[in-house]
Amino acid sequence: MKTSIRHRLEQLADRLAELDALLGAEAATRDMEAFLRMNKERAEIATVVDLFAAYRQAEADLAAAAAMESDPGMREFAREEAAAAQATMADLEDDLQRALLPRDPDDDKSVFLEIRAGTGGDESALFAGDLFRMYARFAEKNRWKIEVVSKSESDLGGYREIIARIEGAGAYAKLKYESGGHRVQRVPATETQGRIHTSACTVAVLPEAGELDAITINPAELRIDTFRASGAGGQHINKTDSAVRITHLPSGLVVECQDDRSQHRNKAQALSVLAARLKDMQLRAQQQQIASTRKSLIGSGDRSERIRTYNFPQGRITDHRINLTLYKIDAIMAGDLDELIAGLNAEHQAELLAELAQ
C-alpha cells in the first residue's frame, strides 16, 4: 500500500475515534445541526475505517506466519497462512482505494428533471415526450415517486418543456450522468417520403437542495406573478389564478409552475425548482474554477454537449462520452437504463482511481 494512502487511512481512523468521543459527550445534542453533521461524517468514514482494521489484521496475520516459518514443523502451514493473508490484503487494498474515492454529497438526493425540445421542431418535442416516458419508467422500476412540476405541451402530443421532481434515495446518483444533449435519428410520423430526420433535446438533472445545504433566497429579489393555468389548446384547468411565475431578479432565472390547482403548492414547487437551479449555477461556477481536478458527469458537463445518440432505424443507442453502443433501443426507451448508467459510473470511478494513484 502506498504511504500516502496509508497516511490518509490512519487520519480517518483517528477522526473516527474523535467523532465517537464528541458524539458520546453529554453536551453533544445541544447544537443539533452540528450533531447531525458529525453523525453524517461518522457514517461516511466508519466503513472505510472498518476495512482498514481488516487490512491491519491481515498484515498481523502475515507477520505471524512469517515468524512461524523458522519452525520446520510449521513451515507448510505458515506458507498457507501467508498466502491467504496476502490475498486478503490485495482484495482489501482494492476495496480501500474505492472507498477513499470522493463521494458526491448529492448522490442520495431526489432530483428535478428538466427536458427541453431543441432543434427539430415538432419531432424534437415528440422526442422530449419519449425521453420523459423513458425516465418515468426507470423511476418506476426503482420505486421512486415522480411528480410533474410544469409542462408545456406541443400540438402533436410531445413537450416543448417538461419539469418533474423524482423523489427517492439515490435518484441523483443514477441520473446525474443524463445531463446534456440527446440526439435522435428516425423517420418522423409526419414524414411521407421515409426520410430520416435528426433532432435534439437537452436534459438537465438537478439535485434537490436539502435543509442543511438549502440556498438562501432573499424575498426582495423575487418577482412573483400569478395567472390562470391553462393546458394545450388554451383550455383552462380552473378559473382562478393558481399558476405561479417566479423571477429571480439578480440571475434572471424564471420558473413557472401550474400543474397543481393550489396556488400555494405551485408557489412552493416553483421555489424548490428555483433553489435547485441556483445551487446548480453555484456548483457550475465552482466546477469551472477546478475543472482540471473534477470531471463529474464524464465530460465537460456542458448541456449543449451531445452526449448520446438514439438511432431508431439501426436500433442502437451510442453514448459518446464512453464510446458505448448498445443495440437495445426498445428496452432502453422502456426504462432499462442500468447498463448505460453502470458503464458511465465505471468510467467515472476509473478516472477517480487514476487521480488517487497519482
Side-chain angles (χ1 to χ4, degrees), residues 252-269:
L253 286 175
V254 179
V255 178
E256 288 185 7
C257 187
Q258 57 173 302
D259 212 55
D260 199 278
R261 292 179 179 271
S262 164
Q263 184 185 112
H264 177 74
R265 274 183 52 82
N266 281 331
K267 180 180 177 182
Q269 284 279 34

Side-chain angles (χ1 to χ4, degrees), residues 18 36 44 60 79 89 141 148 153 322 331 344:
E18 182 184 5
L36 292 173
E44 289 174 351
R79 287 174 178 171
M89 288 171 62
K141 289 181 178 181
V148 174
E153 298 174 330
I322 55 175
L344 289 160

Side-chain angles (χ1 to χ4, degrees), residues 131-348:
L131 286 176
F132 176 70
R133 282 184 287 275
M134 178 183 77
Y135 292 124
R137 289 165 182 163
F138 182 68
E140 290 168 6
K141 289 181 178 181
N142 283 275
R143 299 187 178 182
W144 298 331
K145 179 182 176 184
I146 185 164
E147 178 184 8
V148 174
V149 174
S150 176
K151 61 180 181 287
S152 174
E153 298 174 330
S154 71
D155 295 335
L156 296 182
Y159 298 106
R160 288 184 288 272
E161 175 185 277
I162 183 165
I163 301 173
R165 179 177 181 268
I166 299 178
E167 178 185 352
Y172 185 69
K174 290 191 174 183
L175 290 173
K176 61 184 176 181
Y177 302 115
E178 297 303 301
S179 291
H182 294 242
R183 184 177 69 172
V184 62
Q185 295 172 327
R186 63 184 176 186
V187 179
T190 55
E191 172 58 56
T192 58
Q193 299 182 25
R195 292 175 298 185
I196 295 173
H197 287 225
T198 299
S199 56
C201 292
T202 57
V203 172
V205 177
L206 312 176
E208 187 174 40
E211 291 184 8
L212 294 180
D213 59 357
I215 298 293
T216 301
I217 300 176
N218 183 354
E221 297 177 343
L222 301 178
R223 186 176 73 237
I224 301 177
D225 302 308
T226 59
F227 56 98
R228 288 188 180 180
S230 61
Q235 294 179 347
H236 293 304
I237 295 173
N238 54 45
K239 296 183 179 180
T240 61
D241 291 347
S242 62
V244 175
R245 180 187 299 111
I246 299 179
T247 304
H248 185 246
L249 300 174
S251 66
L253 286 175
V254 179
V255 178
E256 288 185 7
C257 187
Q258 57 173 302
D259 212 55
D260 199 278
R261 292 179 179 271
S262 164
Q263 184 185 112
H264 177 74
R265 274 183 52 82
N266 281 331
K267 180 180 177 182
Q269 284 279 34
L271 284 171
S272 294
V273 174
L274 178 62
R277 287 187 185 174
L278 287 171
K279 182 185 176 188
D280 185 60
M281 285 179 64
Q282 289 185 2
L283 286 175
R284 287 183 176 279
Q286 294 170 7
Q287 287 170 356
Q288 285 178 357
Q289 294 175 359
I290 58 172
S292 60
T293 58
R294 185 183 179 194
K295 294 182 179 179
S296 62
L297 305 186
I298 312 293
S300 71
D302 183 354
R303 290 192 184 130
S304 65
E305 179 183 352
R306 182 193 67 193
I307 63 167
R308 194 175 295 153
T309 295
Y310 302 70
N311 187 304
F312 280 82
Q314 296 180 16
R316 65 173 171 83
I317 287 183
T318 299
D319 196 292
H320 304 288
R321 295 165 292 181
I322 55 175
N323 295 319
L324 174 65
T325 296
L326 300 174
Y327 288 88
K328 47 187 292 187
I329 195 166
D330 290 339
I332 289 172
M333 297 308 294
D336 185 7
L337 298 174
D338 291 323
E339 191 172 352
L340 274 171
I341 290 170
L344 289 160
N345 190 54
E347 179 72 13
H348 185 50

